[in-house]
Amino acid sequence: MTYFLQLLGVQIDKLAKQERSKKLLINVLGSFFVKAISMAITLTLIPVSLKYTEASTYGVWLTLSSVIVWFNLFDFGLSSGLTNKLTESFAKNDIQSARIYLSTTYYFLAVIILPLSLIFFVASNFIDWNVVFNTTINKAELRTAIYLMYVSFCFSFLLKPINHVLKSKQKHFVLSSIQVAGNLIALICIVLMGDMFSSKFIFLCCVLSFTYPIVLLIATLVLYLGIFKDIQPKMVFASKKHFKNVFGVSAKFFIIEISVIAILMSNNILIAHLVDNQNVTYYNIAYRLFSIITIFQYMIMIPLWPAYTDAYTLKDYNWIRSAVSKSNKLNFALCIPLVLMFLLSDQIYFYWIGDDIKIPFEVNLLLMIFVGIGTFKESYVSFINGVGRVNLQAVYSAVTIVLQVPLAYFLAKHLKLGLTGILLLNIFWVVIGFILWRIQYAVIMNSNSTKKIWQ
């Protein structure tokens, strides 16, 4: 980790003198150890889960979990907008506003989840889930799994503002620790109790769905009764005026989040329907491998989001330029292990999951390219999100939402490229995004453009 900090040109003693950079340093160093544990657990979960399911059944679980992620969109970007508003409030030491923003978000999340749940449970009775997921799994078993996962989603949905409090307070080490604890408990449960249940699919869904929200609930109670007692949310602090302030930014984040899901999370659905569920497993295993690089990068990028908000609010432009420059140096350094992972991918898969599943060469190649370009894109996205200049992202995201499915169908079915076609489309989107966000960063930092698209 020290090596990467040196690549960034960071001198630890100098860094510690500046409060914002000191917080960033603490988060990066702390997150390094937590993320290392997280990666080990996540990578272990795949072969352990495959032990209790077939590749196609595990593909159904992956697709199902992707759909549940989609439901998070129904907060209309409130949580992402909350991060920026809380960071601004903390930068100005306005604790009362922070508490109002937080209480307002919790209140409106509860308002959203009630009608959403009613619609889901009523509509579910008229949906053939086997057709949706393109599977022959027992219908009653699949429906039960879907209901269980939806309930777990509701808990996570209502509890997730604490994650954004931790982000805005730049306590990413704590946030990562919560996620790791959930995955670790899930792994332990699968190993110890996997043979005790007749329906391995239902057991897998229960364990992987509920461990995280339970840990999140415990963390929420502990934090609001402890270090965050001064911003403890209460219904009496909910405010329509503050909701409008949060929602002004949140609506744009909402469109952006839909785009991210349209490109990444919808891959499982698209692959399941345009190719097959076995290829869903291929894609997810390979993506887990190469996303190790993304995880390392996120240890820097995620803490930088609120740091950029803080710096931009206080007009510390030199710090911003320095941070972006250094993050790009890190990206070049990360390309070295990325290429090595590609060259050694067959050996890695053999020792990781055995020789029962063979990942095609082109899948590894395309995912390496996608992750590599994506790391450079994120350097600018983190800044743009942090300063709230997301109009261009919203427009671009709307375009990807409209075009993702027809283009995926054209490439996978019409041109008969299958999984390769879908991955090529993902690369296309990430290249366009990188070009646009690099230009927007330059416009924001080097000019006073009043054009709405740059705002």
Side-chain angles (χ1 to χ4, degrees):
M1 194 63 200
T2 303
Y3 172 70
F4 282 121
L5 287 171
Q6 289 173 344
L7 282 171
L8 286 168
V10 175
Q11 299 296 321
I12 293 179
D13 56 340
K14 182 179 179 181
L15 189 62
K17 294 178 182 178
Q18 190 173 9
E19 183 63 26
R20 184 188 309 114
S21 297
K22 182 179 179 180
K23 289 180 180 179
L24 178 61
L25 174 63
I26 292 171
N27 276 289
V28 171
L29 292 176
S31 295
F32 173 76
F33 297 104
V34 176
K35 288 296 184 182
I37 297 172
S38 177
M39 282 188 292
I41 294 172
T42 301
L43 295 176
T44 304
L45 269 172
I46 293 178
V48 170
S49 299
L50 284 170
K51 176 183 176 183
Y52 298 102
T53 59
E54 297 176 353
S56 58
T57 305
Y58 185 62
V60 173
W61 148 253
L62 292 169
T63 306
L64 177 57
S65 61
S66 297
V67 173
I68 293 299
V69 171
W70 293 1
F71 281 101
N72 277 291
L73 287 174
F74 287 96
D75 75 342
F76 300 101
L78 274 175
S79 296
S80 296
L82 176 65
T83 301
N84 282 22
K85 289 300 180 182
L86 286 178
T87 304
E88 291 173 8
S89 297
F90 293 141
K92 299 174 182 176
N93 200 30
D94 188 353
I95 302 303
Q96 183 63 16
S97 290
R99 192 174 195 182
I100 294 173
Y101 281 127
L102 187 58
S103 301
T104 301
T105 301
Y106 273 108
Y107 175 77
F108 279 97
L109 286 178
V111 169
I112 291 168
I113 201 65
L114 290 175
L116 178 63
S117 297
L118 178 62
I119 293 170
F120 172 79
F121 285 110
V122 171
S124 180
N125 293 315
F126 302 96
I127 298 174
D128 187 338
W129 292 109
N130 288 74
V131 173
V132 172
F133 294 104
N134 191 28
T135 181
T136 57
I137 289 178
N138 179 274
K139 287 190 175 183
E141 194 172 86
L142 180 59
R143 186 176 295 275
T144 300
I146 291 170
Y147 286 162
L148 287 170
M149 291 191 67
Y150 181 79
V151 172
S152 75
F153 149 76
C154 290
F155 282 108
S156 298
F157 186 85
L158 292 171
L159 295 169
K160 66 182 179 178
I162 190 62
N163 292 335
H164 298 277
V165 175
L166 291 167
K167 287 180 182 179
S168 61
K169 281 284 191 177
Q170 298 188 46
K171 294 185 179 294
H172 296 272
F173 170 74
V174 179
L175 176 59
S176 299
S177 298
I178 294 171
Q179 296 167 338
V180 169
N183 286 337
L184 179 59
I185 294 172
L187 178 60
I188 293 172
C189 289
I190 293 174
V191 172
L192 296 181
M193 298 187 292
D195 293 319
M196 297 170 60
F197 295 85
S198 57
S199 176
K200 300 294 190 292
F201 181 62
I202 294 295
F203 168 71
L204 194 67
C205 288
C206 282
V207 171
L208 295 179
S209 299
F210 281 97
T211 48
Y212 173 68
I214 289 173
V215 173
L216 188 60
L217 173 60
I218 295 171
T220 298
L221 295 174
V222 170
L223 290 169
Y224 283 137
L225 293 174
I227 60 174
F228 296 150
K229 190 174 183 179
D230 57 340
I231 58 170
Q232 189 180 98
K234 292 185 178 180
M235 188 176 294
V236 293
F237 291 113
S239 164
K240 289 183 179 179
K241 176 183 175 181
H242 284 73
F243 170 75
K244 292 177 182 178
N245 290 339
V246 176
F247 190 73
V249 178
S250 300
K252 298 168 187 175
F253 278 119
F254 171 58
I255 298 173
I256 294 167
E257 288 168 0
I258 291 179
S259 170
V260 172
I261 287 180
I263 295 175
L264 287 180
M265 302 310 296
S266 69
N267 277 349
N268 288 336
I269 284 286
L270 291 172
I271 296 168
H273 279 271
L274 301 180
V275 192
D276 56 44
N277 277 306
Q278 190 163 342
N279 272 273
V280 174
T281 301
Y282 294 159
Y283 163 73
N284 276 273
I285 290 174
Y287 185 75
R288 289 285 188 185
L289 174 63
F290 290 103
S291 66
I292 290 174
I293 301 300
T294 305
I295 292 171
F296 271 105
Q297 189 210 25
Y298 278 5
M299 287 190 297
I300 301 288
M301 293 299 107
I302 294 178
L304 272 175
W305 178 334
Y308 282 135
T309 305
D310 180 80
Y312 197 75
T313 301
L314 301 177
K315 303 186 186 301
D316 193 351
Y317 303 124
N318 288 334
W319 188 92
I320 293 173
R321 290 189 177 93
S322 176
V324 171
S325 174
K326 291 168 184 175
S327 65
N328 277 329
K329 291 178 183 178
L330 172 65
N331 295 336
F332 280 111
L334 288 175
C335 286
I336 297 172
L338 178 64
V339 173
L340 288 175
M341 289 170 66
F342 167 69
L343 296 175
L344 300 173
S345 58
D346 287 341
Q347 291 89 333
I348 295 172
Y349 293 136
F350 176 78
Y351 288 107
W352 176 23
I353 58 174
D355 57 359
D356 292 334
I357 297 178
K358 303 292 185 183
I359 310 298
F361 170 83
E362 62 272 14
V363 173
N364 292 319
L365 176 63
L366 294 175
L367 280 173
M368 178 194 68
I369 296 171
F370 173 79
V371 170
I373 299 172
T375 57
F376 287 92
K377 175 180 72 73
E378 287 302 318
S379 291
Y380 301 104
V381 169
S382 181
F383 163 75
I384 292 167
N385 288 345
V387 301
R389 301 289 190 91
V390 292
N391 282 353
L392 180 60
Q393 278 195 76
V395 173
Y396 170 76
S397 298
V399 173
T400 63
I401 292 165
V402 172
L403 297 180
Q404 174 71 3
V405 173
L407 287 178
Y409 182 86
F410 175 77
L411 292 169
K413 283 291 189 181
H414 186 73
L415 296 184
K416 298 180 180 180
L417 293 176
L419 176 56
T420 299
I422 295 173
L423 295 180
L424 284 171
L425 180 59
N426 290 350
I427 292 173
F428 169 75
W429 292 128
V430 79
V431 169
I432 298 299
F434 167 70
I435 295 171
L436 290 176
W437 313 147
R438 176 64 184 86
I439 293 172
Q440 184 177 13
Y441 164 75
V443 170
I444 294 172
M445 295 301 295
N446 300 322
S447 71
N448 293 315
S449 176
T450 57
K451 290 185 178 180
K452 193 172 182 180
I453 193 64
W454 302 119
Q455 301 301 311

